[in-house]
Structures are given as structure tokens and as C-alpha cells.
Amino acid sequence: MSKRPYALQDLTWVEFAERRAGQPVIVLPLGSQEEQGPHAPMGDFVVAERIALAAAERAGAICAPVLPFGYAEFFRGIPGGIQLRADTFVRVLEDMIGAFLDHGLNRVVIVNGHTTNASLIAQVAHKIRRERGIMVPNLNLWRLMPDTLWAELHGVDAQAARGHGADPLTSVTMHLTPDLIRHDLMARPDRRAAFGLATSGQFASVDYKGAPVELPLDVTDVAANGIGSGDPARASAPIGAAMTEWLARYVADFLDYFRACDPADWNAAPVPAA
């Protein structure tokens, strides 16, 4: 395998030290080891890392190895998942970011492939700003795509394809790791109510008079097959290719933009390239 200059894991420390002089943007991809419905592999961190690597290559950034475990209490009931406790996740992420800040690399961008990490990422980012005066942006990968793109790819029924255990991850996985998909195990959502109320598209809340009420529910309580919402049969590899391309391009564009920013001065617009 040839050396990838945009992948930190491929570089010697001497090679990275040479790149460090140019103050590259550092990309931290995050993911999860969790169920994605009966048809898809649990290691969704694989596709998040591939998108982050593709973006880093385009932008001349350096992508750190992915953190493959995330925070999601409601997935603990399904075997094979590995969920970090909240304090563990916070400490690990803070250490990951600190490893670069300690060496003067202060342009660090998180590419988060597991939405439930978001509140803890924010906690870490605020702490780093208070203690070091540095802003660390977080791109919540699966929330980046606009409704117009969903409509373009899925048509008027885009919402019917969208949800945990369906798209975007099923289509992206079909494109990036097609041999890992079990088409024979695809199914529709199989939801159960709690207290007689409909459970939400994810797993830890119910709908009461049009508003969400959070409850400490597990996926096994409310979704027997692990599908939150959406029909994975609507997914396809071509849709996944389009999503992957859009996401890699968007992330790369932001990395280019942030390279011209001063992470210690959020009031200032970036300095245009000469």
C-alpha cells in the first residue's frame, strides 16, 4: 500500500514534523460501533473515516485515525456494540485534541459520524475554548446534507428513506463497502409504543401532543430490528456515491476555509489567500 500523505497513521514522526511546519488543518473523525439495522455492518465509523480521509486529501489537510467508539446509551441492549461512558468519551476526545494543540497545531476540525456524540463534543469544545482560547469546529456529518439534496436523490418521498437503519448510512455503506450489506435481511421499521405513546424516529423519546418527551428507553424496548425510521429498501449504491461525493466536497471546502481562519480570533474573517 502506498503512503497517503493526508493520513496521519501512514506518516513517520519525521514526515509529520515536516508537515507540521506548514500548520496543516488536522481532521479528527469520530464514529461508532453500533447496530445499523439487521442488514448493515455495525462499524459505521469505517464510512465516516473514509469521507474524512477523502476530504483531507482534497484540502491538503491531515486526517487522524478515527475514534471508532461513541456515546449512545440506548444501544447497549444489542450485542456487538461498544459504547463509551460519557466521561470516558469526554476525556478521550479532550486528549485527542490536546495531542495536537500541545504541539502548536491549533486548527483542529472534528468530523463526527455519530450524532449522539454531539452534546459531549460541545462540552469538550467549550472547555478547550475556556482553557486554551482555541475554537474547535464540529461537522456533524449526517446532518450536513440539505433537504434539496435529499429531494434530488430520493424524490418527493425522501423522508420515507431517512432514519437510523436506513439512509444516509445504508446508501453510503452500499457505495463504500458493498460486500458488507445483507440485502436478504432488509426490513421496515418495527416500532413499539411506550406508555401508549408513539416513540420517536430515534429511540429515547415519545411524542405527546406533538412534542417530544425524553425517556430512558433502549433500542430493544422500542425497535425490535434496530431500525429507527425510514425504509432501507429505498437505499442504493448510486445514491450513496452522490452522498459521499457531496459530503467529501463540503468537508474539504470547510477545511480550506478554516485554514485561513485564526482559531483564537472568532471575530475576524479569514484572510484571503495571496
Side-chain angles (χ1 to χ4, degrees), residues 2-274:
S2 59
K3 188 185 292 285
R4 300 168 296 177
Y6 53 88
L8 179 58
Q9 66 200 55
D10 290 3
L11 303 179
T12 72
W13 76 265
V14 174
E15 291 169 332
F16 182 67
E18 292 170 349
R19 292 289 307 279
R20 171 175 166 250
Q23 286 291 303
V25 177
I26 303 296
V27 183
L28 294 187
L30 310 179
S32 185
Q33 171 72 16
E34 66 183 39
E35 67 85 14
Q36 291 293 338
H39 59 283
M42 289 188 285
D44 67 20
F45 62 87
V46 172
V47 295
E49 182 184 40
R50 290 202 186 184
I51 292 170
L53 283 165
E57 181 179 18
R58 294 182 184 203
I62 296 178
C63 186
V66 67
L67 176 61
F69 311 125
Y71 171 71
E73 286 296 313
F74 44 75
F75 285 130
R76 288 189 182 275
I78 294 184
I82 301 175
Q83 296 81 28
L84 299 182
R85 287 171 290 183
D87 59 339
T88 303
F89 180 86
V90 164
R91 289 173 182 270
V92 171
L93 181 59
E94 187 176 350
D95 286 349
M96 290 173 69
I97 296 170
F100 298 101
L101 298 184
D102 287 348
H103 289 275
L105 292 161
N106 60 6
R107 290 176 177 84
V108 178
V109 176
I110 294 169
V111 175
N112 176 35
H114 178 56
T115 300
T116 316
N117 290 337
S119 62
L120 298 181
I121 293 170
Q123 180 179 326
V124 172
H126 279 285
K127 182 180 181 184
I128 287 171
R129 183 190 176 188
R130 286 195 306 271
E131 295 181 353
R132 298 188 182 235
I134 296 296
M135 290 282 196
V136 178
N138 171 35
L139 301 180
N140 197 346
L141 197 59
W142 309 121
R143 299 292 177 90
L144 296 178
M145 293 181 291
D147 289 340
T148 52
L149 179 64
W150 279 91
E152 176 186 331
L153 296 177
H154 276 294
V156 295
D157 293 329
Q159 195 59 35
R162 197 169 183 171
H164 184 88
D167 263 357
L169 269 165
T170 296
S171 284
V172 172
T173 302
M174 284 179 170
H175 168 60
L176 291 175
T177 56
D179 293 342
L180 302 184
I181 291 286
R182 286 286 304 273
H183 293 270
D184 59 312
L185 294 180
M186 281 192 178
R188 293 177 179 273
D190 180 16
R191 301 298 299 244
R192 291 190 287 270
F195 297 117
L197 301 171
T199 49
S200 73
Q202 292 301 319
F203 308 105
S205 67
V206 294
D207 182 280
Y208 182 70
K209 294 185 177 181
V213 176
E214 295 187 5
L215 292 170
L217 295 166
D218 290 334
V219 60
T220 50
D221 295 328
V222 299
N225 60 10
I227 298 178
S229 62
D231 182 359
R234 294 173 180 264
S236 72
I239 289 174
M243 288 178 167
T244 299
E245 170 61 23
W246 191 95
L247 289 166
R249 185 172 64 247
Y250 180 97
V251 175
D253 285 349
F254 181 79
L255 298 178
D256 279 331
Y257 185 87
F258 194 60
R259 181 188 294 111
C261 295
D262 179 356
D265 185 7
W266 61 272
N267 283 298
V271 179

